[in-house]
Amino acid sequence: MSEPEDDPLAGSTGYALRRAAMAMLGDLAERLTAIDCRISEASVLLLIAERKDVTATRIAHALEIKRTNMVPLLNRLESRGLVKKVPIDGKSQAVVLTPKGRRRGARALTITQQFEEDLIARIPREHRKHLLPALRALWL
Amino acid sequence: MSEPEDDPLAGSTGYALRRAAMAMLGDLAERLTAIDCRISEASVLLLIAERKDVTATRIAHALEIKRTNMVPLLNRLESRGLVKKVPIDGKSQAVVLTPKGRRRGARALTITQQFEEDLIARIPREHRKHLLPALRALWL
DNA sequence: TATTGTTATACTCTATAACTATA
DNA sequence: TATAGTTATAGAGTATAACAATA
């Protein structure tokens, strides 16, 4: 598409970070259309598959999504029969996978693992092991 | 905020890439409020400062923004007196900085250079030189 | 009083389709 | 016919304020 030398911002790490993230998210989003899931939806399926009695608030915290934005997200998953809400007490409710949700979550895992593998394969070998720790230093 | 061991996605490079980019963009956006600019607006100021006779289409291509989305972006810059449009021929028009736009662009450059410096300083020294080439391999 | 879940709302970024005018 | 600019519109993510019900 755009040649690097055409772009005075190409030498910027911040700019490269944004571009790489955008390209990566576009690729992943496209792969997830195979299971009719958005990235945020697949993230929830993967997250609650490994946990028990997870409330919407805990999911929101783990994925750094605002509590308020969990509502339409979970409603979409619930209306498609992928998750259901189970009361914990009068105030809290656990979000749990339905059998259909577990199958969908398993497919999401397959897709994201292949995606991750392909992503890493694109990184030149000598830089490969440095990327994750560098990114985590920027994020945490 | 969120502890890594709380998060089963923390081992994923794709996930870390998204999180790092989000954190970085949030930081930069906040710094740019000092000159009342969005990231996309500052990018345009920086881009056209170094070029002559740049059309909206060329800016869109260089920044990988859809042509159609340049319209409100440039309108905002124009209504604040930072850029103006100069006809090239009956069909094309150059987007050029006004004197006020040049001053704003200079401040944008100062902010983004300091930002870049701070960003790189956060990366552990042994990973530092690997980040940019790794990101560019993912993006290009 | 603090927390959980919710509604309403708005802003930003991104995206497609379709139109006008000019090269 | 292809390109430059534009309009209208929609989807997705993110954000704040405010409220009800419960711990």
Side-chain angles (χ1 to χ4, degrees):
Chain A
M1 268 294 178
S2 69
E3 293 127 37
E5 62 278 6
D6 245 24
D7 192 338
L9 296 169
S12 156
T13 299
Y15 187 69
L17 181 53
R18 176 182 171 278
R19 279 292 193 89
M22 294 294 293
M24 177 276 295
L25 290 169
D27 180 359
L28 179 56
E30 196 198 324
R31 294 183 190 216
L32 288 172
T33 61
I35 57 168
D36 193 33
C37 276
R38 302 176 189 176
I39 293 173
S40 57
E41 293 168 346
S43 301
V44 170
L45 296 183
L46 294 178
L47 184 68
I48 67 180
E50 304 188 9
R51 297 186 177 205
K52 289 180 60 111
D53 288 353
V54 197
T55 62
T57 295
R58 275 186 66 82
I59 299 172
H61 182 249
L63 297 178
E64 211 155 271
I65 294 172
K66 296 287 172 199
R67 273 198 315 278
T68 201
N69 294 326
M70 291 299 299
V71 179
L73 204 176
L74 292 179
N75 284 345
R76 282 193 305 273
L77 291 175
E78 193 170 23
S79 70
R80 283 184 282 156
L82 300 175
V83 307
K84 63 183 174 188
K85 291 168 184 166
V86 178
I88 295 177
D89 55 34
K91 188 167 73 170
S92 301
Q93 45 193 342
V95 182
V96 299
L97 292 180
T98 62
K100 186 177 173 186
R102 267 191 293 280
R103 291 192 296 273
R104 195 70 64 95
R107 296 183 64 193
L109 185 61
T110 302
I111 290 171
T112 54
Q113 283 177 339
Q114 183 64 54
F115 168 75
E116 181 81 5
E117 196 177 301
D118 295 344
L119 184 75
I120 290 168
R122 296 188 55 188
I123 306 166
R125 192 172 295 277
E126 69 269 29
H127 305 307
R128 211 168 276 173
K129 71 169 184 287
H130 296 280
L131 182 56
L132 186 55
L135 292 174
R136 298 192 76 238
L138 294 180
W139 143 29
L140 298 171
Chain B
M1 269 295 176
S2 70
E3 291 126 39
E5 62 277 10
D6 245 24
D7 192 337
L9 296 169
S12 155
T13 299
Y15 187 69
L17 180 53
R18 176 181 171 276
R19 279 294 192 86
M22 295 295 291
M24 177 277 294
L25 289 170
D27 180 0
L28 179 57
E30 196 198 323
R31 294 183 190 217
L32 287 172
T33 60
I35 57 168
D36 193 33
C37 275
R38 302 176 188 176
I39 293 174
S40 57
E41 293 168 346
S43 301
V44 170
L45 295 183
L46 294 179
L47 183 68
I48 66 180
E50 304 187 8
R51 297 184 177 206
K52 288 180 62 110
D53 287 353
V54 196
T55 62
T57 295
R58 275 185 65 82
I59 298 171
H61 183 250
L63 297 178
E64 209 155 273
I65 295 172
K66 296 287 174 199
R67 273 200 314 278
T68 200
N69 294 326
M70 291 299 300
V71 178
L73 204 176
L74 292 179
N75 283 345
R76 283 193 303 273
L77 291 175
E78 193 170 23
S79 70
R80 283 185 280 157
L82 300 175
V83 307
K84 63 184 175 188
K85 292 169 183 168
V86 178
I88 294 176
D89 56 34
K91 188 167 72 170
S92 302
Q93 45 194 341
V95 182
V96 299
L97 293 180
T98 63
K100 185 178 173 185
R102 266 191 294 280
R103 292 192 295 273
R104 195 70 63 96
R107 295 184 63 193
L109 185 61
T110 301
I111 290 171
T112 54
Q113 283 177 340
Q114 181 64 53
F115 168 75
E116 182 81 5
E117 195 177 302
D118 295 345
L119 184 75
I120 289 168
R122 295 187 57 189
I123 306 167
R125 192 171 296 279
E126 69 269 29
H127 306 307
R128 210 167 277 173
K129 70 169 185 285
H130 297 280
L131 182 56
L132 186 54
L135 292 174
R136 298 191 76 239
L138 294 180
W139 142 29
L140 298 172

